[in-house]
Amino acid sequence: MKLTGAEIVLECLIREGVEVMFGYPGGAILPFYDAMTKYPQIHHVLTRHEQGASHMADGYARATGKVGVAVATSGPGATNLVTGIATAMMDSSPIVCITGQVASPAIGSDAFQEVDVTGVTLPITKHSYLVYDVEDLAYIVREAFHIARTGRPGPVLIDIPKDVQNAVTEFEYPEGEIYLPGYKPPQKASAEGIQAALDLIQKAERPVILAGHGVLMSGATKEVIEFAERTQTPIALTLLGKGGVPESHPMSLGMMGMHGTGYANLAIQNADLLLAFGMRFDDRVTGNLKTYAPDAKKIHIDIDASEIHKNVRADVPIVGDLKTVLNQILPALSAVEHREWLAQIRDWMEDADERDIVHQHVTNKLLAAHVIRDMWAATQGNAIVVTDVGQHQMWEAQYYPHERPHTLITSGGLGTMGFGLPAAIGAAMGLKTNNVWCIAGDGGFQMTMSELATAVQERVPVKIAIVNNGYLGMVRQWQEFFYEERYNATPMITPDFVKLADAYGIPARRITQREDVIPAMEWADSVTDGPVLLEFVVEKHDIVYPMVPAGADLHNMIRRPVPSPDGL
């Protein structure tokens, strides 16, 4: 059958299983939007900004495991997607972005709303296409989805000139295997690599597993737990690795790195073997590379060969799918015990418990850490939590333990403020659940709060918790520690969030006392037809402890002081 280029794209999206896409129309993408009227089976969500569209597609992808789709017009529409594309790239999230482009003859003429978006996004996409021939369109769409979801997932961009969208050709969906010379994501490890890893594992006395996002992406939770239990190896988690193993598991050390648990960082620095499972040795995880785990051999398993030796040299590098590789290792793995090592870690845990703010009685202040812990209690740890970026993000990571994969969605690599609300909308729409909580700070929330209108229009039952301390809190914390308390450009005036919500027709409450946190959560849970908003007005000057200063040695943490007998 003969179809236009725009219709071909939509036919291909249906065959790729796309049910919802997020976007914002404009001149160069209008043929595509006009064709949508013939394909009501794909639900289009009108966002209030293209950045929101790319974050929603990202949140949808991370929550569902499917490819998220964002749509924008040329020029500013396309460039407004860029922050969301970069966020997805850094966190290996599979999204396909479709952008309109000026007509082919006008490309390069500085036409109205023309921008070289494939050039702009070249470093932040897994692949990008500028389609000049409608005959190529169907195969390109299929190839784009294949690239986005295979190997190490990531964003792909398809830029389609307006005349290509309008061109007509015979449509036949390209079946068969995708042919991409040079693109063969590895699965299995070599026998030599497996044996080399086994040799180090059997000799180790103080091993630590570093569990990253790859555990979730490959579905290797069961294998990692089996490995840890058989070898009595404690597990430290990256921020994006949270949920990869249950944090209540006896081998779990919680999060590692800049704001990780003190005992996880001390375990890493004193280890004689690090088993890096699907993680990339981000600087927020390692601190000073020159002093990072100085006595430890390193086994690094990752599906992306470019990550091997990039930041930390591996003694045993293994490129492959983590779940597949662990299933190669496990049959040959003998049971061992590390009693002295685990006893040492328990001592470090006791010290951390003594310092922990959630174990301290505070009567006259609402602390963000207490709010997060009460949210965990009220939801029984079962919510899908989507955070923004800042202090609240780290408190969530510290005080909301996750037991299942894909229950924490957050911007790890790029640290994108404004990610939380739109990503939560995408996650809630993908999962079709009213159990998605967006936790945002007052700063990040204001960056994309226009998407409240999207949530209302779509009746998305997302629950929004704003942790309001009147500051750009994390930047303020750095100014306190490292810039002699010169709080420049961090005190922040905010709108009345409850009145703002009311303007959108969103039920909302403000909470200032700890005893009101859980009742407010229960009230919010009763609102299921559309969004609901809670504003927690918390202590302004609180600090996220512990903290490893940027570039410092991982064990040189700034710790919360041990409380005096009189309390805080």
Side-chain angles (χ1 to χ4, degrees):
M1 58 182 168
K2 286 189 178 296
L3 297 176
T4 67
E7 291 166 342
I8 287 171
V9 174
L10 286 157
E11 290 280 351
C12 292
L13 294 184
I14 290 169
R15 286 163 175 78
E16 293 295 337
V18 175
E19 298 174 335
V20 61
M21 54 187 172
F22 308 90
Y24 201 104
I29 196 69
L30 271 183
F32 183 72
Y33 272 82
D34 186 55
M36 281 182 200
T37 59
K38 302 175 184 175
Y39 297 89
Q41 58 269 56
I42 301 180
H43 178 63
H44 176 267
V45 176
L46 175 63
T47 64
R48 295 304 184 267
H49 191 282
E50 291 87 350
Q51 181 183 350
S54 51
H55 289 327
M56 286 182 205
D58 189 347
Y60 174 92
R62 298 194 205 201
T64 64
K66 302 176 183 176
V67 177
V69 177
V71 185
T73 190
S74 62
T79 56
N80 283 343
L81 290 175
V82 167
T83 299
I85 295 173
T87 303
M89 185 68 179
M90 290 288 278
D91 290 350
S92 308
S93 183
I95 65 172
V96 169
C97 295
I98 298 168
T99 50
Q101 182 56 276
V102 300
S104 302
I107 291 177
S109 70
D110 290 338
F112 176 67
Q113 290 194 331
E114 182 196 357
V115 72
D116 176 11
V117 70
T118 54
V120 168
T121 58
L122 187 65
I124 55 169
T125 51
K126 198 173 172 187
H127 196 65
S128 60
Y129 301 87
L130 172 57
V131 187
Y132 276 107
D133 190 339
V134 70
E135 302 289 342
D136 299 333
L137 200 46
Y139 192 84
I140 283 175
V141 174
R142 182 152 184 258
E143 194 174 84
F145 275 79
H146 173 73
I147 292 172
R149 64 164 67 103
T150 56
R152 179 178 180 174
V156 179
L157 182 135
I158 309 172
D159 195 31
I160 313 174
K162 195 170 184 178
D163 56 312
V164 176
Q165 296 173 52
N166 284 323
V168 175
T169 190
E170 192 71 27
F171 171 69
E172 183 177 351
Y173 186 66
E175 302 287 355
E177 188 174 345
I178 295 290
Y179 178 66
L180 280 169
Y183 180 70
K184 294 181 180 177
Q187 296 297 314
K188 295 183 67 175
S190 67
E192 293 78 11
I194 297 296
Q195 187 55 56
L198 285 167
D199 290 344
L200 287 184
I201 293 165
Q202 299 297 351
K203 292 176 184 173
E205 296 180 351
R206 303 185 306 280
V208 176
I209 293 170
L210 312 179
H213 198 192
V215 177
L216 289 83
M217 304 297 283
S218 71
T221 293
K222 173 177 166 291
E223 286 76 10
V224 173
I225 292 172
E226 185 176 347
F227 184 105
E229 290 177 346
R230 196 181 304 173
T231 60
Q232 290 295 287
T233 301
I235 308 166
L237 303 164
T238 68
L239 175 62
L240 293 184
K242 281 176 64 70
V245 296
E247 292 188 67
S248 62
H249 192 281
M251 287 294 123
S252 173
L253 300 177
M255 188 173 71
M256 67 181 103
M258 179 174 280
H259 295 294
T261 64
Y263 43 90
N265 290 344
L266 290 172
I268 290 167
Q269 290 299 80
N270 288 277
D272 65 356
L273 177 64
L274 294 185
L275 299 126
F277 289 171
M279 55 86 70
R280 59 188 178 87
F281 291 109
D282 177 86
D283 61 299
R284 288 291 173 105
V285 160
T286 64
N288 183 2
L289 285 170
K290 293 180 180 177
T291 59
Y292 180 65
D295 299 326
K297 299 286 187 182
K298 282 92 175 178
I299 299 171
H300 191 179
I301 305 173
D302 200 284
I303 199 165
D304 187 349
S306 70
E307 292 296 341
I308 303 294
H309 303 314
K310 186 175 81 175
N311 296 325
V312 172
R313 184 150 194 89
D315 297 280
V316 177
I318 296 178
V319 179
D321 171 69
L322 179 64
K323 181 183 178 79
T324 304
V325 173
L326 287 178
N327 277 312
Q328 289 179 266
I329 292 174
L330 285 168
L333 202 59
S334 303
V336 292
E337 293 188 346
H338 300 291
R339 291 180 180 174
E340 291 185 13
W341 177 228
L342 296 179
Q344 172 64 75
I345 292 173
R346 280 195 294 274
D347 287 343
W348 290 327
M349 285 180 168
E350 290 174 4
D351 175 67
D353 273 355
E354 193 176 2
R355 299 170 186 269
D356 197 329
I357 189 68
V358 297
H359 297 152
Q360 297 172 23
H361 184 61
V362 181
T363 57
N364 59 344
K365 301 172 183 174
L366 182 60
L367 300 181
H370 289 163
V371 171
I372 300 294
R373 180 48 63 99
D374 287 353
M375 291 180 71
W376 170 76
T379 59
Q380 299 181 321
N382 289 321
I384 312 298
V385 180
V386 184
T387 81
D388 211 90
V389 169
Q391 282 183 314
H392 70 277
Q393 179 190 31
M394 294 299 108
W395 279 313
E396 197 284 344
Q398 293 176 338
Y399 295 111
Y400 196 108
H402 289 266
E403 298 296 298
R404 295 176 290 115
H406 310 296
T407 54
L408 171 62
I409 296 172
T410 191
S411 172
L414 199 64
T416 306
M417 291 178 67
F419 173 82
L421 176 60
I425 293 171
M429 294 196 70
L431 295 173
K432 298 180 175 59
T433 175
N434 61 2
N435 195 30
V436 174
W437 276 90
C438 168
I439 303 178
D442 47 312
F445 183 75
Q446 291 186 79
M447 287 190 170
T448 53
M449 65 184 183
S450 59
E451 301 303 344
L452 286 172
T454 306
V456 171
Q457 185 163 334
E458 296 289 333
R459 305 309 301 167
V460 182
V462 64
K463 305 182 192 313
I464 303 159
I466 301 174
V467 180
N468 183 2
N469 66 358
Y471 274 102
L472 294 175
M474 188 60 84
V475 185
R476 180 201 171 280
Q477 176 169 330
W478 282 52
Q479 289 174 333
E480 178 172 332
F481 282 160
F482 312 121
Y483 294 88
E484 299 175 341
E485 301 184 9
R486 293 187 292 277
Y487 300 124
N488 184 32
T490 48
M492 174 171 275
I493 291 177
T494 62
D496 184 321
F497 290 118
V498 174
K499 287 184 177 177
L500 178 76
D502 184 58
Y504 283 105
I506 298 173
R509 286 185 181 179
R510 179 177 295 113
I511 299 93
T512 59
Q513 302 297 320
R514 187 173 184 187
E515 59 266 26
D516 296 330
V517 173
I518 289 181
M521 295 282 296
E522 292 170 346
W523 169 77
D525 199 44
S526 69
V527 179
T528 57
D529 180 25
V532 60
L533 186 147
L534 300 178
E535 178 192 9
F536 296 98
V537 181
V538 299
E539 161 66 18
K540 290 180 178 292
H541 303 140
D542 203 1
I543 296 291
V544 181
Y545 290 108
M547 180 180 186
V548 180
D553 306 335
L554 189 60
H555 54 278
N556 284 331
M557 295 166 278
I558 302 173
R559 309 287 297 274
R560 184 182 294 276
V562 176
S564 69
D566 298 330
L568 295 177

